[in-house]
């Protein structure tokens, strides 16, 4: 995550539940943007997607009835534990079964540690032709930022035989760099839109909801509830379809 979102666990203790939830929503939106672009890159290159690691600043209540905002974003059974922020599973952000139903093959993040990789560097100094060089003993390729999918496939064609390409979206805590610049062709454009709506913008199975009585609603800024949540009887749920999925900057 970018440096402004990083948080040590000892520092998390001083934040209120609402502050933790706000940070959590910002992190979810950024990471879903990453997931959207990673999905787009996998379509452009006709490759399977290796999941990144995800960070959460608020736990998830499987039944949507836990009073997380009364317990500093923790389930009641874990209130005394010091685990936030934490590396959260994929199912905290989306529904893995839906990805399988749509035929999108996923590999767990630890594959990156087991398979030699070409690291793709996104840089404004990139030449228009892909090149490789040694970076700390490993091979690296270069891309211009916000490149169209078809052009990306053309640039990286020389690496088709490589088992793994790693495209970082940020490094050393810097603001995210926009990797993907859209598709020119209608087929891939429509395919990405279809998958994004079905997989990235729907949230986890069962949603992400918290028990929210009158005192809870008073804690949440009204604008936050109206923009980011949908109201249900005795609880509020994140409205993933309203998330604005963009990468922070183009270099």
């Amino acid at each position: 995550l970018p440096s402004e979102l990083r948080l040590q666990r000892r520092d998390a203790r001083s934040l209120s539940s609402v502050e933790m939830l706000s940070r959590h929503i910002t992190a979810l939106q950024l990471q879903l943007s990453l997931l959207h672009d990673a999905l787009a890159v996998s379509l452009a290159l006709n490759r399977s997607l290796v999941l990144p690691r995800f960070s959460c600043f608020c736990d998830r209540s499987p039944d949507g009835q836990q009073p997380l905002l009364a317990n500093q974003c923790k389930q009641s059974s874990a209130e005394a534990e010091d685990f936030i922020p934490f590396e959260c599973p994929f199912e905290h952000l989306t529904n893995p079964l839906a990805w399988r139903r749509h035929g999108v093959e996923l590999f767990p993040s630890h594959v990156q540690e087991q398979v030699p990789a070409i690291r793709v560097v996104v840089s404004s100094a990139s030449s228009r032709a892909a090149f490789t060089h040694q970076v700390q003993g490993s091979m690296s390729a270069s891309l211009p930022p916000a490149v169209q999918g078809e052009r990306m496939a053309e640039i990286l064609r020389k690496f088709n035989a490589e088992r793994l390409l790693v495209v970082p979206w940020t490094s050393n805590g810097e603001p995210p760099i926009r990797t993907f610049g859209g598709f020119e062709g209608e087929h891939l454009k429509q395919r990405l839109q279809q998958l994004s709506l079905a997989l990235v913008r729907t949230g986890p199975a069962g949603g992400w909801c918290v028990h929210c009585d009158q005192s809870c609603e008073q804690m949440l800024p009204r604008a936050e509830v109206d923009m980011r949540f949908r109201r249900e009887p005795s609880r509020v749920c994140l409205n993933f379809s309203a998330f604005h999925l963009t990468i922070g900057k183009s270099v």
Side-chain angles (χ1 to χ4, degrees):
L1 288 176
S3 55
E4 65 267 21
L5 280 177
R6 294 182 182 180
L7 185 69
Q8 297 295 322
R9 288 177 178 172
R10 63 176 180 272
D11 299 323
R13 303 180 201 130
S14 63
L15 298 182
S16 69
S17 293
V18 172
E19 289 172 321
M20 292 296 290
L21 180 59
S22 178
R23 187 178 289 258
H24 182 63
I25 292 172
T26 301
L28 284 182
Q29 187 162 282
L30 280 170
Q31 290 173 112
L32 286 171
S33 293
L34 158 68
L35 190 59
H36 172 275
D37 276 19
L39 174 61
V41 171
S42 72
L43 290 175
L45 302 181
N46 194 27
R47 284 176 171 262
S48 299
L49 178 60
V50 177
L51 291 173
R53 288 186 169 86
F54 300 104
S55 295
C56 287
F57 296 86
C58 202
D59 206 350
R60 176 174 176 261
S61 169
D63 62 3
Q65 296 297 334
Q66 281 281 334
L68 297 178
L69 296 183
N71 298 320
Q72 207 177 19
C73 264
K74 302 173 185 177
Q75 295 193 49
S76 301
S77 59
E79 188 175 359
E81 297 181 29
D82 192 14
F83 66 92
I84 293 179
F86 63 102
E87 184 178 316
C88 51
F90 187 49
E91 53 265 29
H92 276 213
L93 287 82
T94 183
N95 181 0
L97 291 177
W99 290 70
R100 285 197 281 274
R101 285 198 300 268
H102 281 79
V104 180
E105 189 174 22
L106 299 171
F107 287 92
S109 59
H110 63 73
V111 167
Q112 297 184 48
E113 301 161 4
Q114 299 172 344
V115 178
I118 295 287
R119 297 193 65 82
V120 179
V121 179
V122 181
S123 169
S124 57
S126 303
S127 67
R128 280 295 174 180
F131 61 90
T132 57
H133 53 281
Q134 291 288 333
V135 178
Q136 296 179 348
S138 62
M139 296 299 292
S140 176
S142 186
L143 279 178
V147 63
Q148 284 193 323
E150 292 88 351
R151 176 61 179 157
M152 181 186 298
E154 179 185 340
I155 292 173
L156 296 177
R157 184 177 295 129
K158 65 184 294 184
F159 305 114
N160 283 351
E162 300 294 335
R163 293 179 63 192
L164 180 64
L165 298 181
V166 177
V167 186
W169 76 313
T170 185
S171 62
N172 300 320
E174 292 297 317
I177 294 173
R178 188 178 179 197
T179 303
F180 174 70
F183 286 116
E184 185 176 0
E186 285 300 318
H187 174 71
L188 284 175
K189 191 182 297 183
Q190 291 178 11
R191 176 64 172 157
L192 176 60
Q193 183 179 29
Q194 175 195 33
L195 291 176
S196 180
L197 288 172
L199 306 178
V200 181
R201 293 181 176 274
T202 54
W208 195 103
C209 304
V210 295
H211 176 76
C212 195
D213 54 19
Q214 187 175 2
S215 62
C216 160
E217 291 201 15
Q218 291 172 352
M219 292 171 60
L220 291 171
R222 180 57 186 263
E224 185 83 7
V225 173
D226 291 343
M227 289 173 52
R228 305 290 185 88
F229 293 89
R230 67 177 189 274
R231 294 174 181 269
E232 296 184 2
S234 75
R235 68 180 192 171
V236 292
C237 302
L238 282 178
N239 183 10
F240 284 84
S241 63
F243 280 16
H244 185 49
L245 303 185
T246 59
I247 296 300
K249 73 167 187 176
S250 299
V251 294

